[in-house]
Amino acid sequence: MLTIAAAAMLPWNAGPADAAGPCFRGINLSGGEFGNPDGAIFKDYAYPSEVTIGYFKQKGMNIVRLPFLWERLQPELGQALNDAELQRIKDTVALFRKHKMSVILDPHNYAQYRKTQVGTPPATTLAFADFWTRLSSEFANQDDVIFGLMNEPHDIASDKWLSAANAAFRGIRAVGANNLILVPGTKWTGAHSWQSDGPGGPNGTVMLGVKDPRKNYAFEVHQYFDSDFSGTHDECSGNENARNAIVGMSDWARKNGTKVLLGEFGVSQAPECIAGLKAVLDAIHDNSDVWLGWTYWVAGDWWPESEPLNVQPHEGHERKQIAVLEAAAKAPSPAEDACRTMGR
């Protein structure tokens, strides 16, 4: 087995000579999910500025995962979306489009609404489907807009989550929205735990029950490099485990004829962590027949320089992770138009 240290020294074209990398290479531009749901724009939360968007576009990135709060966009379950918040999201999408970047809409709620788990009244499966029916109708058939059903469901049984996900699919497709949809699993949708048992069964078994009449979806997984895979520590003792998780997900997706996207992953600026980052990106590149792409966590105008995983530049100083991300982002890739409808 190739070690992390050895993999980090390989060039980006170390795979087959004619192999292109994954379609999407990008960044989480965080800030829209900050604060409590009733917070004020530019005081408690903010969406990315055009300066920040332009910086990551210049680094070769072609997609942004955009976190926001479900409660802020839909203050009352089953009722209309908030016009002002929806317009802020639409304006941000327009900025991405101006810079020729796709976007993943990411309700960053952990399968909860005001701390009530999806599938539990009043945050019923029907309420979750209603939310996605309303949101998808606003962005229906905009090929550069991808629907990420939910950020990191946790403490919810996998079969219960599958039921909610399938209800959202029905709502989205019922309004004629054929956009690519990203489906997470439970247990924080960890790649390393994808095939591990848990309440409701393993993600790797249960989530194969996704029902999409358009067959235009992929699975979103997250993977961090620290000891507990949480991304909350600046060490990367889990480098080898992270790479193995990517290889394992590749094998699972290939076996089951589906696609995956790495929605969150990140490391500190420590040299060994930078090496681990490159090894994971190499593994995705070498398995790009099943990987749609990746979005690194994290950046955004309000992220402090003290955050170890942050790659937002500060006062003209770039983070050390960005060189590896830029090299991966600028590697050869397929045509993006073909990527937006290749979920399965």
Side-chain angles (χ1 to χ4, degrees):
M1 178 181 292
L2 190 65
T3 66
I4 289 288
M9 298 178 67
L10 294 177
W12 283 107
N13 61 356
D18 60 349
C23 293
F24 297 119
R25 304 99 181 272
I27 188 75
N28 283 264
L29 290 184
S30 170
E33 81 285 21
F34 284 9
N36 68 66
D38 303 314
I41 185 69
F42 302 128
K43 178 181 179 182
D44 300 290
Y45 72 103
Y47 290 103
S49 67
E50 186 169 6
V51 170
T52 286
I53 294 167
Y55 171 81
F56 288 102
K57 176 63 178 180
Q58 188 270 331
K59 294 301 178 183
M61 298 186 186
N62 62 8
I63 192 166
V64 171
R65 185 167 177 258
L66 183 69
F68 59 89
L69 288 182
W70 176 6
E71 301 94 337
R72 195 174 279 147
L73 183 56
Q74 189 181 40
E76 297 293 334
L77 289 170
Q79 301 300 312
L81 304 181
N82 179 275
D83 287 338
E85 189 66 11
L86 177 61
Q87 191 59 53
R88 282 188 274 270
I89 292 174
K90 286 184 173 181
D91 290 345
T92 306
V93 170
L95 284 178
F96 296 140
R97 189 168 288 143
K98 175 181 176 181
H99 289 269
K100 296 180 169 53
M101 300 176 83
S102 297
V103 59
I104 300 167
L105 297 181
D106 165 44
H108 212 78
N109 278 77
Y110 308 95
Q112 298 175 5
Y113 183 94
R114 297 192 186 274
K115 299 183 179 180
T116 298
Q117 187 183 93
V118 169
T120 303
T124 62
T125 293
L126 182 62
F128 182 59
D130 171 81
F131 166 71
W132 267 112
T133 300
R134 294 175 188 274
L135 181 57
S136 62
S137 67
E138 299 289 342
F139 295 94
N141 302 318
Q142 298 178 26
D143 286 345
D144 54 358
V145 179
I146 297 166
F147 301 151
L149 288 185
M150 179 58 64
N151 178 67
E152 295 186 347
H154 66 87
D155 297 319
I156 179 173
S158 55
D159 54 350
K160 185 177 181 181
W161 168 243
L162 174 66
S163 177
N166 278 333
F169 267 96
R170 290 192 294 272
I172 292 168
R173 300 312 188 203
V175 298
N178 298 323
N179 309 55
L180 176 63
I181 298 174
L182 298 178
V183 191
T186 58
K187 299 190 293 290
W188 310 86
T189 201
H192 64 279
S193 60
W194 190 253
Q195 299 182 66
S196 301
D197 202 3
N203 285 327
T205 301
V206 174
M207 298 310 295
L208 291 174
V210 166
K211 293 181 173 64
D212 178 16
R214 299 296 304 182
K215 298 190 183 301
N216 187 31
Y217 68 93
F219 292 99
E220 179 185 329
V221 294
H222 295 178
Q223 185 61 51
Y224 287 99
F225 298 61
D226 48 357
S227 58
D228 60 0
F229 306 112
S230 67
T232 59
H233 310 96
D234 59 7
E235 51 86 14
C236 49
S237 58
N239 270 353
E240 202 71 45
N241 290 333
R243 183 182 176 278
N244 290 343
I246 297 304
V247 173
M249 282 300 308
S250 305
D251 294 341
W252 176 87
R254 199 171 289 117
K255 174 183 176 182
N256 290 289
T258 191
K259 304 282 185 179
V260 283
L261 180 136
L262 186 60
E264 286 187 20
F265 63 110
V267 298
S268 73
Q269 299 188 87
E272 64 274 19
C273 296
I274 300 296
L277 174 64
K278 185 176 185 304
V280 160
L281 290 169
D282 280 342
I284 292 175
H285 183 278
D286 292 344
N287 290 278
S288 57
D289 59 311
V290 294
W291 287 94
L292 287 183
W294 47 265
T295 50
Y296 179 92
W297 182 273
V298 62
D301 297 84
W302 284 16
W303 275 90
E305 191 171 6
S306 58
E307 164 55 44
L309 278 57
N310 177 29
V311 293
Q312 180 80 17
H314 287 269
E315 298 181 356
H317 299 297
E318 293 191 337
R319 308 285 280 195
K320 294 177 181 178
Q321 302 96 320
I322 206 68
V324 173
L325 294 170
E326 182 177 8
K330 292 182 176 179
S333 66
E336 289 175 38
D337 287 347
C339 296
R340 294 171 182 146
T341 55
M342 62 181 294
R344 186 169 180 139

